[in-house]
Amino acid sequence: MPPTLDGVENGSYPYWQTEYAYTYGEPPADSAAAFLRYLTDQGGKDVLRQYGNRPCSGTRYPLVCRPT
């Protein structure tokens, strides 16, 4: 089954994954912290859209993107 945005929206593409990032304490600003901010801010979302993808929060049912 091809992974298309339509398939995600209508539920016919069943695979999705929530990624977790763990740190031991607060990471230094010049390390993983910057990358984690990038993944969750508008810049990271814009890069996803630039390549024809969509951040989970931008789908029709964004709550299914949260872990259970």
Side-chain angles (χ1 to χ4, degrees):
M1 176 171 298
T4 63
L5 291 177
D6 288 337
V8 170
E9 289 289 337
N10 67 30
S12 65
Y13 185 68
Y15 178 79
W16 62 274
Q17 183 66 40
T18 301
E19 296 292 333
Y20 296 94
Y22 296 95
T23 63
Y24 185 74
E26 186 67 29
D30 63 346
S31 67
F35 180 66
L36 295 174
R37 276 193 305 278
Y38 171 77
L39 290 177
T40 58
D41 74 3
Q42 192 60 44
K45 292 175 183 179
D46 289 344
V47 170
L48 286 172
R49 289 185 185 99
Q50 176 184 348
Y51 289 95
N53 299 300
R54 187 175 304 159
C56 195
S57 62
T59 62
R60 185 174 175 186
Y61 302 106
L63 293 179
V64 301
C65 298
R66 295 185 181 166
T68 56

